[in-house]
């Protein structure tokens, strides 16, 4: 098989939604018309200057973009090497990067005439962003969330309900993000006519991995401009944590063709890769199909999905976005992993040196 993009790392996926061997759309027949309708609606919106203008307007005046690129002076001093810059997605309205993508999808839902929006959430930030945008545009909002996550992310559950969303706890499986996504897909099949499914990461059936990446690329596009303004050149390296991988893909994608820029994604290694209790799909998984796309997954010998573990409610997903799987195989991005213990140490270091409490 020839590599899909001989001259660029940035033009995928192909027309069937494949990044090399990964991606695609493995969905029930009942869902296929919805997926094709969404693909067509997104293709039209992408080429409509009015849609882009609307997006840019809300990103600026409602979300508060551009988010700052901040030189972490004390952390840089402590590390005695690299100059470290933070892209401050925590300063967006709703407190995370999730809102960049949700805004785009909710504008698309309105354009398609879908009054009811469903979403799944783990840490709750995607749920909060979806509830926020549904409140702003007057749409019904249902958020599926595993009961384990409902318990450990209570403040975000309260926020979603305050915004008028219905939070539906999911009792099946490991009662976390994977199971919430299963329930959301069941809902979508049942309510095909009036419902828009807002996926929070660069996973799921095509066109979701591409669409979410495109909406999140605002992160990398701004970073490129801000870095040139601050340092007069591109950065030596980029680094981001990865669950499904939307914040990372948003940062990485605009830089993929700048081969002098090293790119690192960090997966959640939980209690260590050897323990089996982790969420590092690339380091500890193999290719398979889940939630409508082919990608690296945590599976047993029989192909049954293993439960993922991470101290982070948002990273304990047993898979990764298909574009990340492809970028790993062609070695454009280097995927590392960090244990719960390492993440906690970094959390404390960042909080105490920079006065910035990061998301776990």
């Amino acid at each position: 098989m020839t590599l899909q993009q001989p001259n660029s790392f940035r033009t995928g996926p192909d027309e069937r939604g494949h990044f090399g061997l990964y991606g695609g759309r493995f969905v029930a027949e009942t869902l296929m018309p919805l997926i094709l309708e969404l693909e067509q609606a997104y293709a039209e919106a992408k080429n409509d200057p009015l849609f882009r203008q609307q997006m840019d307007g809300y990103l600026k005046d409602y979300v508060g973009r551009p988010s700052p690129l901040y030189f972490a002076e004390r952390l840089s001093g402590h590390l005695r090497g690299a100059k470290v810059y933070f892209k401050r997605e925590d300063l967006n309205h709703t407190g995370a990067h999730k809102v960049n993508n949700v805004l785009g999808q909710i504008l698309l839902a309105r354009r398609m005439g879908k009054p009811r929006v469903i979403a799944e959430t783990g840490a709750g930030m995607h749920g909060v962003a979806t509830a926020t945008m549904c409140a702003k545009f007057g749409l019904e909002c249902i958020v599926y969330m595993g009961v384990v996550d409902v318990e450990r992310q209570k403040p975000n559950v309260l926020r979603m309900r305050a915004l008028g969303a219905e939070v539906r706890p999911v009792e099946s499986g490991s009662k976390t993000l994977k199971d919430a996504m299963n329930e959301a897909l069941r809902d979508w099949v049942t309510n095909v006519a009036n419902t828009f499914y807002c996926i929070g990461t660069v996973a799921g059936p095509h066109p979701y991995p591409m669409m979410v990446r495109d909406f999140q690329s605002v992160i990398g596009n701004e970073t490129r401009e801000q870095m040139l303004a601050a340092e007069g050149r591109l950065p030596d390296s980029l680094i981001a944590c990865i669950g499904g991988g939307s914040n990372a893909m948003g940062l990485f994608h605009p830089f993929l063709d700048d081969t002098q820029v090293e790119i690192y994604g960090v997966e959640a290694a939980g209690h260590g890769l050897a323990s089996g209790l982790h969420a590092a799909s690339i380091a500890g998984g193999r290719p398979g199909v889940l939630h409508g796309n082919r990608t690296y997954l945590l599976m047993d010998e029989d192909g049954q999905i293993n439960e993922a573990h991470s101290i982070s409610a948002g990273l304990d997903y047993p898979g990764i976005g298909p574009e990340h799987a492809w970028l790993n195989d062609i070695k454009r991005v280097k995927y590392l992993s960090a244990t719960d213990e390492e993440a906690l140490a970094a959390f404390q270091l960042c909080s105490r040196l920079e006065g910035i409490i990061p998301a776990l």
Side-chain angles (χ1 to χ4, degrees):
M1 174 182 276
T2 54
L3 271 184
Q4 160 184 5
Q5 302 149 357
N7 303 315
S8 171
F9 296 114
R10 301 186 62 231
T11 55
D14 66 19
E15 68 285 349
R16 292 174 309 135
H18 289 104
F19 300 92
L21 298 170
Y22 306 100
R25 39 181 165 227
F26 298 84
V27 295
E29 276 179 49
T30 39
L31 276 183
M32 196 55 97
L34 294 176
I35 292 286
L36 294 172
E37 180 195 14
L38 175 64
E39 184 186 15
Q40 189 185 342
Y42 178 58
E44 287 168 8
K46 203 159 56 163
N47 293 318
D48 182 350
L50 192 63
F51 182 81
R52 186 69 257 173
Q53 196 183 331
Q54 265 190 320
M55 266 291 287
D56 290 345
Y58 288 123
L59 283 171
K60 176 176 172 283
D61 299 327
Y62 191 68
V63 176
R65 301 203 71 93
S67 64
L69 186 72
Y70 164 75
F71 174 47
E73 195 174 350
R74 292 193 69 213
L75 186 64
S76 298
H78 175 83
L79 297 172
R80 295 182 188 169
K83 282 179 84 172
V84 179
Y85 283 85
F86 291 161
K87 182 63 171 147
R88 296 292 309 275
E89 292 300 292
D90 58 312
L91 295 178
N92 293 333
H93 180 43
T94 73
H97 65 286
K98 295 290 186 184
V99 70
N100 306 323
N101 161 53
V102 172
L103 169 64
Q105 289 198 50
I106 296 300
L107 289 177
L108 200 55
R110 289 175 81 215
R111 189 182 171 101
M112 294 171 74
K114 306 278 185 183
R116 181 176 180 271
V117 173
I118 57 171
E120 84 295 322
T121 197
M125 297 312 291
H126 174 62
V128 168
T130 306
T132 298
M133 286 301 171
C134 285
K136 168 154 182 51
F137 293 110
L139 303 174
E140 184 187 352
C141 181
I142 290 98
V143 179
Y144 288 92
M145 192 172 190
V147 290
V148 168
D149 292 337
V150 167
E151 190 51 43
R152 64 179 171 177
Q153 299 296 129
K154 264 186 182 153
N156 281 338
V157 175
L158 293 173
R159 290 167 80 195
M160 285 183 265
R161 288 179 174 148
L163 290 157
E166 180 191 340
V167 179
R168 292 190 182 171
V170 176
E171 298 273 2
S172 59
S174 60
K175 305 174 185 178
T176 56
L177 183 59
K178 164 179 69 74
D179 315 289
M181 200 163 185
N182 289 340
E183 284 304 319
L185 283 164
R186 284 188 196 107
D187 182 313
W188 202 21
V189 174
T190 316
N191 300 286
V192 290
N194 67 339
T195 297
F196 185 98
Y197 181 18
C198 184
I199 292 184
T201 194
V202 285
H206 177 66
Y208 281 104
M210 170 183 73
M211 184 168 70
V212 176
R213 173 202 74 195
D214 291 350
F215 290 142
Q216 289 293 4
S217 285
V218 66
I219 300 172
N221 288 328
E222 285 179 9
T223 299
R224 169 184 283 276
E225 277 181 37
Q226 291 166 321
M227 202 70 210
L228 288 169
E231 293 284 344
R233 66 179 182 88
L234 295 181
D236 295 312
S237 57
L238 304 169
I239 190 160
C241 70
I242 293 192
S246 67
N247 82 95
M249 193 53 72
L251 176 65
F252 298 170
H253 192 255
F255 291 92
L256 289 177
D257 287 341
D258 300 292
T259 48
Q260 76 277 24
V261 178
E262 293 180 339
I263 305 180
Y264 299 94
V266 186
E267 297 187 290
H271 295 309
L273 297 177
S275 72
L277 295 169
H278 62 81
S281 312
I282 285 180
R286 57 196 169 89
V289 174
L290 178 68
H291 295 145
N293 71 116
R294 187 169 194 271
T295 187
Y296 277 92
L297 301 170
L298 301 178
M299 295 186 285
D300 65 17
E301 273 103 65
D302 301 322
Q304 295 300 307
I305 301 299
N306 287 336
E307 287 183 13
H309 164 79
S310 170
I311 197 168
S312 159
L315 299 185
D316 59 354
Y317 181 70
I320 193 166
E323 192 167 4
H324 285 295
W326 176 70
L327 288 168
N328 173 71
D329 282 12
I330 64 168
K331 298 187 164 45
R332 176 60 188 101
V333 177
K334 186 166 187 181
Y335 292 89
L336 315 168
S337 55
T339 63
D340 288 350
E341 230 169 71
E342 289 168 327
L344 281 168
F347 175 93
Q348 289 185 321
L349 192 68
C350 181
S351 301
R352 289 169 186 181
L353 287 181
E354 291 295 345
I356 295 170
I357 300 174
L360 258 180

